């Protein structure tokens, strides 16, 4: 039987996220594990997919149940700011033209031509990160169901890719393994970072 390796097969398309703005919302519950996952997602987007560090916004909430609400609220807030900025664009352009001068003794600015500014406005993708570990009651099952359905609904309702970055583990060992905190473990945050970039590009792709 041919060897089978679990995990996602990398996309055969170029995933260049240099023009993307990404939101990471994470929980503070089980924070040491969550921090490793957030770090994996952020570093992968920057080093592998060219997302600017300035274009990655990180916010936190108490627990996993709060992730869907926070993601939806921050998506809407960013979209509103983007709309307001667009409304001021014409006025800003007029002001800029008024400041132009042909004076021979005026020295032009010499910015770094390769520098890129941080994006403002709407997010292109969101990653919700949390760690749920089963205890001795049904609380685990209820939270897992509510959070997974809530995160999916935010993505569908907002038309913004929202990545499900919530580990649902039966014990501490499984969580540490999936955050890459033990030998031979794998940090799933890296996969979520790549998924966010890929899905943002899918959304914006012209067919």
């Amino acid at each position: 039987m041919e060897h089978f390796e679990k995990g996602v097969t990398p996309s055969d398309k170029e995933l260049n996220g240099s023009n993307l703005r990404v939101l990471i919302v994470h929980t503070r519950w089980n924070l040491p594990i969550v921090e490793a996952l957030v770090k994996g997602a952020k570093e992968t987007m920057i080093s592998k997919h060219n997302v600017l560090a300035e274009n990655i916004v990180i916010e936190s909430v108490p627990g996993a149940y709060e992730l869907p609400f926070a993601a939806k609220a921050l998506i809407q807030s960013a979209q509103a700011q983007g709309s307001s900025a667009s409304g001021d664009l014409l006025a800003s352009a007029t002001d800029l033209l008024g400041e132009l001068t042909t004076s021979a003794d005026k020295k032009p600015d010499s910015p770094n031509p390769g520098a890129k500014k941080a994006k403002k406005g709407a997010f292109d993708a969101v990653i919700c990160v949390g760690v749920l570990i089963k205890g001795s009651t049904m609380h685990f099952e209820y939270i897992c169901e509510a959070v997974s359905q809530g995160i999916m609904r935010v993505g569908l309702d907002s038309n913004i890719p929202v990545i499900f970055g919530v580990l649902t583990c039966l014990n501490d060992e499984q969580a540490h393994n999936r955050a890459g905190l033990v030998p031979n473990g794998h940090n799933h945050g890296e996969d979520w970072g790549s998924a966010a970039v890929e899905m943002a590009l899918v959304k914006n792709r012209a067919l």
Side-chain angles (χ1 to χ4, degrees):
M1 182 177 179
E2 186 176 337
H3 173 69
F4 170 70
E5 186 171 341
K6 293 175 65 176
V8 62
T9 300
S11 173
D12 58 356
K13 295 181 173 61
E14 180 185 5
L15 301 180
N16 183 358
S18 59
N19 292 320
L20 299 180
R21 187 171 191 239
V22 180
L23 169 67
I24 299 177
V25 187
H26 71 81
T27 67
R28 298 189 302 275
W29 197 271
N30 297 319
L31 186 58
I33 304 174
V34 169
E35 285 180 327
L37 295 164
V38 171
K39 181 180 179 181
K42 181 178 178 180
E43 291 185 349
T44 295
M45 288 191 288
I46 294 172
S47 64
K48 190 175 180 180
H49 303 299
N50 304 315
V51 179
L52 296 180
E54 306 92 305
N55 288 337
I56 300 175
V57 178
I58 300 178
E59 298 287 346
S60 73
V61 295
Y65 194 82
E66 290 75 47
L67 285 171
F69 176 86
K72 181 177 180 179
L74 291 168
I75 287 172
Q76 291 176 336
S77 176
Q79 288 174 334
Q81 292 173 12
S83 298
S84 176
S86 297
D88 295 335
L89 183 60
L90 182 59
S92 297
T94 302
D95 292 341
L96 179 61
L97 288 172
E99 294 173 2
L100 292 177
T101 177
T102 57
S103 176
D105 60 351
K106 182 175 176 63
K107 295 182 179 180
D109 295 331
S110 55
N112 179 358
K116 290 187 177 181
K117 294 183 178 180
K119 286 186 66 176
K120 300 295 183 182
F123 294 109
D124 297 292
V126 179
I127 308 174
C128 291
V129 181
V131 176
L132 294 169
I133 302 174
K134 184 172 174 58
S136 58
T137 71
M138 289 292 291
H139 183 76
F140 172 80
E141 283 79 1
Y142 289 128
I143 296 298
C144 288
E145 175 69 15
V147 172
S148 59
Q149 292 295 324
I151 290 175
M152 178 181 69
R153 197 178 84 185
V154 172
L156 294 175
D157 290 350
S158 66
N159 199 35
I160 300 295
V162 181
I163 305 303
F164 183 79
V166 180
L167 296 182
T168 54
C169 302
L170 300 178
N171 52 56
D172 295 1
E173 291 75 19
Q174 288 183 352
H176 283 91
N177 183 279
R178 286 155 179 77
L181 295 175
V182 295
N184 300 319
H186 172 66
N187 189 327
H188 284 253
E190 298 172 5
D191 304 325
W192 303 334
S194 292
V197 172
E198 181 173 354
M199 294 310 297
L201 295 175
V202 167
K203 177 182 181 297
N204 298 328
R205 183 179 302 154
L207 299 178

